[in-house]
Amino acid sequence: MKKLLMTLVVLLALGLLFAAGSAETKAETEEITLEWWTWDPELLEQNEQIISSFEAANPGVTINNTIVGTKEYWTKIRIQANQNKLPDVFTMSSGYIEEWAKAGLLYNLDSFIKNDDTFTNFYQSIFDTSKEISNTESYYSIPFALVTTVLYYNKDAFDAAGVAYPSDDWTWDNFKKAAKQLTIDKNGDGKTDQWGHWFYGRYAHIEPWVYANNGKLIDKNSMQFNPDKNAMDAIKMLTDLVLVDKVAPPQKDMTSFQQQDVFSQGVAAMWVDGSWFVDTLRKNVGDDMRWGIARVPSGPAGPSNLTYGWPDSYALAPNTKHPEMAWKFAKYVAGEGINLDVYMAGKIPSAKKLAEDPLFADPSKQPGEEMNLLREQASGPMTTSYTMGWSEWRGYGGSESLGLNGTIDAIINSHMSFDEAFKKGTENINSVLKRYYK
């Protein structure tokens, strides 16, 4: 009897081992297909190389890449979301993270990040910025790059005027003094040929100054537009550059230019905008002009080490059938499996190994070692003004004549007084926000 029982036990154990082995073999050979959506058709060849290398390292996995033009992307991806057919991995804009996270359209990544070595390989500050944008306590995206804002300056113009280059300890007073010295009528005809600075109501022209003065635009408790004194002081300083100091032109006088060309064509000696314009300037200006980048000067309520920046990210579908593999692939395309040369110059990789590559601050390419500023920003604290409905209330893209953008342009174009414009603008902006935060 004992022998019979022992035989049965052995047979049962062997059966369990066989079943486990069969299950393991099945798991190992399971075919997995992931759908990956991106929005830049110019990256087709690059994406194909990424897919090829990932599939080679992960037998049995197939990645299907769908590239949609930027203008059509959000229309088509929203259709996919409405049909509960979101791709496993897809490009996500900082402007939509909060809306999509709160609608349950993004996979909560907290468990992956907690149990992974994520912040050994990636900058936590960039991930934390993405979490702040979501207006939740969780991570819903995998940043692959960071865009910050910097002060661009024309070294040739500075040298010609005998003005010292911007430094990290520059204040608004230093900035305004330099802007006055750089505002020049070159031929004596009574018209300014070179302005000290150039801006209009664009988000990347305004918010960097607000945060450099420790200002806030949005009351996070009420989620209403309620700029504090520091924010209003920053905006007033900027509008005074046009109306009082006469060192920057009205927006209406620059409509014949693309906004980035005012600086590159030497019409303004300084300009604040996104770090991705490093790539634009390298391509469009070349060596025809010597230029550099610097930190946006701190205001009287500073100094502030806050950088106005935002990540470009990937997200996972909340109903992906293969969350572990989707996470693995998202990390791969976010930096673990790619090279620095796939990035547009001025975009800071969220993967430390890429951002710390010596070629990131290639001394043979402008602005040379000043690119190290972007690394410093990536590892430090950041903030943004993104909320639900941001593009509408901020006045972005096709809505530039509206929202905060339109409010500031109305002031510098002398269409309204500062107080009148902000009274009307605040009412309009909060009518937008109230639709999203009820």
Side-chain angles (χ1 to χ4, degrees), residues 170-387:
W170 249 29
T171 64
W172 287 359
D173 287 338
N174 298 130
F175 164 74
K176 288 191 286 186
K177 181 181 178 181
K180 289 177 181 179
Q181 293 174 279
L182 292 160
T183 300
I184 301 171
D185 173 7
K186 295 181 179 180
N187 55 14
D189 65 355
K191 297 180 180 179
T192 299
D193 299 299
Q194 176 184 284
W195 295 95
H197 187 61
W198 150 244
F199 78 98
Y200 68 106
R202 176 177 162 81
Y203 66 104
H205 291 191
I206 304 299
E207 271 85 324
W209 298 95
V210 169
Y211 296 122
N213 198 40
N214 285 312
K216 295 180 181 179
L217 293 175
I218 301 293
D219 181 334
K220 289 293 187 178
N221 293 319
S222 64
M223 290 310 296
Q224 290 288 281
F225 181 73
N226 186 23
D228 63 11
K229 182 180 183 302
N230 293 344
M232 294 299 280
D233 286 348
I235 297 170
K236 186 67 165 60
M237 182 277 291
L238 288 170
T239 59
D240 280 353
L241 295 177
V242 177
L243 303 174
V244 178
D245 303 314
K246 308 294 184 183
V247 297
Q251 178 269 343
K252 62 184 179 183
D253 291 353
M254 297 288 110
T255 55
S256 62
F257 293 91
Q258 291 191 48
Q259 72 95 5
Q260 66 268 23
D261 292 340
V262 176
F263 176 79
S264 64
Q265 294 184 21
V267 180
M270 291 185 287
W271 164 59
V272 169
D273 211 307
S275 56
W276 71 86
F277 279 114
V278 167
D279 190 76
T280 303
L281 289 172
R282 284 181 179 177
K283 292 175 179 176
N284 294 349
V285 176
D287 295 325
D288 293 341
M289 179 180 82
R290 294 169 52 250
W291 54 274
I293 61 173
R295 193 178 298 277
V296 175
S298 293
S304 171
N305 64 345
L306 270 180
T307 294
Y308 177 56
W310 57 95
D312 294 330
S313 304
Y314 290 114
L316 271 57
N319 59 344
T320 176
K321 295 179 181 178
H322 308 287
E324 290 82 7
M325 187 57 69
W327 167 249
K328 184 176 183 179
F329 178 67
K331 288 195 303 174
Y332 190 87
V333 295
E336 288 187 352
I338 59 178
N339 299 317
L340 181 62
D341 58 9
V342 307
Y343 283 83
M344 175 188 291
K347 287 199 172 187
I348 309 150
S350 60
K352 294 177 183 178
K353 69 171 186 177
L354 300 180
E356 293 167 5
D357 188 315
L359 290 178
F360 181 78
D362 188 342
S364 69
K365 298 178 181 179
Q366 296 196 81
E369 293 185 357
E370 289 179 350
M371 287 286 283
N372 288 318
L373 167 63
L374 304 184
R375 287 180 174 146
E376 294 173 17
Q377 292 175 322
S379 59
M382 280 168 280
T383 192
T384 77
S385 57
Y386 284 117
T387 66

Side-chain angles (χ1 to χ4, degrees), residues 92-114:
M92 171 50 54
S93 165
S94 289
Y96 294 121
I97 288 177
E98 180 179 359
E99 176 189 344
W100 281 54
K102 290 183 175 179
L105 298 174
L106 304 179
Y107 195 101
N108 187 314
L109 303 171
D110 288 353
S111 60
F112 285 132
I113 291 173
K114 180 180 179 181

